[in-house]
Amino acid sequence: MEVIDIHNHFFPRTWPDLAARYGTPDWPWIKHTDPGQADIMVGDRFFRKIYSACWDPEVRLREMNRDGVNLQVISATPVLFAYERPAEHALDCARLFNDAALELCAQGKGQLMSLCQVPLQDVDAACKELTRCLRAGHLGVQIGNHVGEKNLDDPGIVTFLHHCANEGAAVLVHPWDMFGQHRMPNYMMPWTVGMPAETQLGIVAMILGGAFDKLPRTLRICFAHGGGSFAFLLGRLENAWQHHPVAHGVCELPPSRYLDRFYVDSAVFDERALQFLVATMGAHRVMLGSDYPFPLGEERVGSLIRSSHLTAMAKTRLLGGNAKEFLGLHDQKDAQILTQPSAPAANTDQLTYSSYLKVPELLEPQQPQSSPQHHDELLFIIVHQTYELWFKELLHDLDAVVLNLRAAGADPTSHDEVYEAARLLRRCTEITRVLVEQFTILETMLPTHFLAFRGKLEPASGFQSEQFRELEFLCGLKDEKMLQYHRPTPEAHAQLERRLREPSLRDVFFDALRAMGVLAPSGGNATERERFDARARAVLSLYRDEHSHRDWIDVCERLTEFDELVVSWRLRHIQLVERTIGVRMGTGGSAGSSYLKLTLDKKFFPELWEARTLLTE
Ligand code: HEM
């Protein structure tokens, strides 16, 4: 897999004394403190601690290889933009650092490429420097999100962006010179609060100011730090746009229609934020960006994406596929670095079967309660634990199905995500088939043997299987009453509450049909029954036009099969219960099998079943 980090920074080991060179104070300079350590100073003011990865290609490459990164696209740091200075000084400064970037790349064994910087306060000079840099080997340019009072919809900046599109330069927008700094003197708030707002302002200015309408679609532009607060507040922006003419700006379309005009990086440091970003922007629009090697950067570059629950296809896109498009590297035959292996280098503690799978830890938590230990209690524990492991995998896959269907809804012309959803659902049905079968192992336990240790289990009960309930909630079967069984475990309770609030697989499936125009938006006055009928008829219309909707029919079939298998699971569980304890009460206080029989009518996707009745009308 190709792994490309499009947002990281460098500083040269040294550079000329800029204050002396231009005869003005407060330019950035580097103060080497200890071996491999330095402070960036701005005039007399301490700005940031940095270390040798900033200037030493050996250190940088070692850490890249450790993290499995094939290519870094380095850029200088906004503190060097100098947009507020005379343009000739900013141009000279840009040249110094642009040439220094290329020198560093030349020592990068093909694993380093760069973005330049330009004196954006002077559009002509900026265009000329960009062209010079592209000829010299830069892939594009890093710009600030504003030039003084001018936002990115400023006509001069739009002209520059036009030039970038014409020249095929990738543009990375970095927040800088944050507003309201006098109110944020402490706690890094300009970085944690100001920067996200600046970035959002940059995107919103481009949308509402009509910049995207004027610029060609060929412009490749990316906003750092996940686009700041933009994705999270898009709903608010859209709402204002829809209901208040004054909030319209001069753009031709609602804000959410411009999401395919720009990229964002993945520097959000939280899996839920990343999932949300991908759900909002689409998996084609988010790219690995680490802010390496600065203090607020990702410590192990790529680890957030790699460890996330995104689909394999989405991870491939985020880790490198999208960056190749953004950087225009697709046809570049000489980008051989992209074919090098990207697995993180093994460290000195070599991985073994046992350490990778955590076998010792896995074999530890089988702790029978019976004393002396009853022989069959180990089986009872292991069978339950195995179910829980498979429930974990089911949640993992179904979460990915939700993401894929959401992405399919966002782009109804794309078939990849629908295919991927069906593929993962097939895995879910195969797992559930195994789960149905697995009860037979437990049935080798005599009822008398179970009764020998059953008394030790109370009040523990299957009612308290958090993951089983999560699966129900995730699929759309939400019963708030079941939360009561999780009061003893607040974390599980909180997780289930979250699942209760989140759109379910069933919701997301019908949202996608709505986005495709197969399901009409329901009127405000429609009854629940009318809404249900409309959803069932939407499914019916998919089946009636098999030629156009093969992929969606496949999803429907997989969902139906999954539903069917879960009912089989419920039935087999009841048979096991009756075989073991007859019609006695359960340890969780229910009436036992007679209660469980009531659950047999539960369906995750009732509309899919209703559609079958309608088909035979
Ligand atoms: C000897 C074996 C078993 C017996 C006697 C048994 C008994 C019961 C009973 C009586 C209930 C109803 C709730 C209560 O009052 O406690 C129940 C619920 C449940 N059991 Fe089992 N069970 C057995 C094995 C399993 C296994 C292997 C699993 C696998 C995960 C499992 C998962 C569940 C779940 C998830 C529920 C909640 C079902 C729902 O609310 O729809 N049980 N069990």
Side-chain angles (χ1 to χ4, degrees):
M1 190 192 297
E2 302 145 356
V3 179
I4 305 173
D5 178 1
I6 58 103
H7 174 192
N8 55 85
H9 300 285
F10 81 102
F11 275 106
R13 190 189 294 273
T14 56
W15 62 87
D17 179 345
L18 301 178
R21 191 173 173 104
Y22 308 128
T24 45
D26 297 333
W27 284 89
W29 57 284
I30 186 165
K31 181 162 91 180
H32 288 273
T33 49
D34 290 306
Q37 301 289 327
D39 290 345
I40 296 297
M41 306 291 294
V42 177
D44 296 335
R45 183 169 55 88
F46 167 79
F47 177 69
R48 173 172 300 162
K49 270 208 174 313
I50 59 171
Y51 72 104
S52 51
C54 276
W55 62 81
D56 185 339
E58 293 288 315
V59 177
R60 189 176 273 265
L61 290 176
R62 198 165 53 238
E63 296 189 345
M64 284 172 68
N65 292 335
R66 176 199 65 195
D67 296 349
V69 177
N70 300 113
L71 175 66
Q72 274 189 351
V73 183
I74 61 170
S75 34
T77 308
V79 72
L80 293 160
F81 283 159
Y83 295 164
E84 74 290 5
R85 310 252 181 189
E88 62 275 22
H89 296 169
L91 173 61
D92 184 65
C93 174
R95 281 172 174 264
L96 285 174
F97 286 90
N98 291 339
D99 295 347
L102 290 177
E103 271 174 42
L104 187 61
C105 291
Q107 301 166 67
K109 303 188 176 147
Q111 284 185 257
L112 299 179
M113 290 179 152
S114 57
L115 301 178
C116 65
Q117 68 176 63
V118 293
L120 202 51
Q121 64 270 56
D122 179 334
V123 174
D124 281 346
C127 291
K128 282 191 189 119
E129 178 60 5
L130 175 74
T131 303
R132 180 189 83 87
C133 287
L134 293 176
R135 307 267 184 283
H138 288 271
L139 293 176
V141 61
Q142 176 188 232
I143 61 170
N145 70 305
H146 66 105
V147 177
E149 301 297 304
K150 296 175 183 168
N151 285 322
L152 294 180
D153 59 336
D154 170 77
I157 299 179
V158 172
T159 303
F160 173 74
L161 292 174
H162 228 289
H163 183 69
C164 292
N166 291 343
E167 295 271 328
V171 183
L172 173 65
V173 180
H174 201 293
W176 85 300
D177 188 22
M178 283 70 80
F179 49 49
Q181 291 207 42
H182 58 287
R183 290 181 51 220
M184 301 186 261
N186 299 319
Y187 321 129
M188 291 193 88
M189 284 201 284
W191 279 265
T192 55
V193 179
M195 275 196 170
E198 282 287 358
T199 312
Q200 180 190 13
L201 174 56
I203 302 173
V204 173
M206 279 194 76
I207 294 175
L208 298 184
F212 283 120
D213 298 318
K214 293 182 200 129
L215 288 161
R217 294 190 76 86
T218 49
L219 174 68
R220 294 180 259 117
I221 186 166
C222 172
F223 291 83
H225 311 138
S229 26
F230 173 79
F232 192 68
L233 294 175
L234 176 59
R236 185 175 172 83
L237 179 68
E238 189 81 0
N239 179 55
W241 196 91
Q242 296 289 356
H243 300 295
H244 302 284
V246 68
H248 257 213
V250 296
C251 59
E252 291 164 7
L253 303 167
S256 59
R257 298 282 297 279
Y258 291 90
L259 302 185
D260 62 347
R261 298 298 301 276
F262 60 95
Y263 297 83
V264 294
D265 77 17
S266 64
V268 292
F269 307 98
D270 175 83
E271 175 168 2
R272 278 175 303 177
L274 181 67
Q275 299 266 14
F276 182 76
L277 196 59
V278 170
T280 305
M281 296 293 301
H284 291 64
R285 292 280 153 191
V286 185
M287 297 181 284
L288 172 63
S290 67
D291 233 339
Y292 168 95
F294 287 165
L296 287 187
E298 188 176 30
E299 273 195 13
R300 287 283 183 274
V301 176
S303 58
L304 176 65
I305 298 174
R306 284 193 170 105
S307 66
S308 73
H309 290 79
L310 293 169
T311 62
M313 206 183 293
K315 285 184 187 179
T316 307
R317 286 216 139 266
L318 266 66
L319 284 170
N322 295 339
K324 276 172 77 178
E325 284 165 19
F326 169 67
L327 298 166
L329 288 176
H330 255 328
D331 306 321
Q332 209 154 314
K333 302 217 169 31
D334 58 352
Q336 346 106 340
I337 25 104
L338 299 179
T339 58
Q340 290 176 4
S342 67
N347 60 27
T348 43
D349 303 328
Q350 245 198 358
L351 204 64
T352 63
Y353 174 88
S354 180
S355 66
Y356 174 58
L357 297 173
K358 304 251 180 292
V359 176
E361 291 89 335
L362 194 65
L363 299 184
E364 212 270 329
Q366 288 75 41
Q367 311 284 345
Q369 294 287 313
S370 53
S371 169
Q373 187 186 320
H374 193 286
H375 180 85
D376 281 3
E377 196 182 348
L378 185 65
L379 174 74
F380 187 79
I381 293 173
I382 288 181
V383 167
H384 278 83
Q385 287 181 339
T386 317
Y387 271 103
E388 290 295 335
L389 283 175
W390 282 122
F391 288 165
K392 180 173 181 175
E393 178 64 33
L394 282 176
L395 286 166
H396 180 58
D397 291 326
L398 289 169
D399 273 333
V401 171
V402 167
L403 280 181
N404 274 291
L405 292 185
R406 200 174 277 160
D411 179 6
T413 57
S414 163
H415 296 279
D416 288 357
E417 286 83 4
V418 187
Y419 167 83
E420 183 66 1
R423 190 183 73 81
L424 289 169
L425 281 168
R426 162 118 204 291
R427 178 181 301 159
C428 294
T429 57
E430 291 313 312
I431 292 171
T432 314
R433 219 181 291 285
V434 168
L435 297 189
V436 176
E437 282 303 306
Q438 218 172 255
F439 284 122
T440 56
I441 307 175
L442 204 50
E443 283 172 343
T444 61
M445 176 177 68
L446 290 178
T448 43
H449 291 187
F450 178 54
L451 289 177
F453 62 87
R454 185 188 190 221
K456 299 277 179 198
L457 309 184
E458 271 167 327
S461 150
F463 267 160
Q464 294 166 326
S465 167
E466 177 203 337
Q467 295 198 98
F468 180 81
R469 207 59 70 200
E470 265 196 74
L471 281 167
E472 285 194 338
F473 287 6
L474 168 59
C475 289
L477 208 56
K478 295 182 179 179
D479 183 352
E480 201 168 350
K481 287 196 295 301
M482 300 318 274
L483 287 182
Q484 60 177 302
Y485 298 104
H486 300 277
R487 279 202 202 105
T489 46
E491 271 184 24
H493 194 275
Q495 170 69 356
L496 282 167
E497 275 187 317
R498 187 173 73 80
R499 289 276 186 202
L500 211 53
R501 285 194 306 271
E502 272 177 7
S504 66
L505 173 54
R506 182 176 167 211
D507 295 330
V508 173
F509 172 81
F510 285 109
D511 284 347
L513 296 197
R514 219 169 271 122
M516 286 159 63
V518 174
L519 171 62
S522 47
N525 297 330
T527 63
E528 191 37 54
R529 181 68 221 181
E530 285 164 345
R531 285 170 209 260
F532 177 86
D533 286 344
R535 292 195 295 267
R537 291 200 173 278
V539 175
L540 180 69
S541 68
L542 292 179
Y543 278 86
R544 289 225 163 115
D545 187 0
E546 189 178 335
H547 178 71
S548 315
H549 298 304
R550 262 181 224 293
D551 47 358
W552 280 97
I553 292 175
D554 200 24
V555 170
C556 292
E557 287 295 293
R558 298 283 79 80
L559 289 172
T560 310
E561 195 177 351
F562 182 59
D563 222 357
E564 193 176 273
L565 283 160
V566 172
V567 175
S568 303
W569 184 92
R570 293 186 198 276
L571 185 62
R572 281 296 285 118
H573 175 249
I574 293 171
Q575 288 170 333
L576 165 77
V577 171
E578 288 193 346
R579 186 171 167 156
T580 317
I581 59 165
V583 292
R584 276 173 176 262
M585 277 181 71
T587 45
S590 81
S593 78
S594 59
Y595 158 77
L596 291 167
K597 281 179 185 161
L598 299 176
T599 66
L600 284 174
D601 283 337
K602 290 187 177 181
K603 292 223 162 51
F604 292 153
F605 313 108
E607 294 88 348
L608 297 184
W609 297 93
E610 178 69 9
R612 279 149 220 272
T613 309
L614 295 175
L615 266 173
T616 52
E617 259 177 2

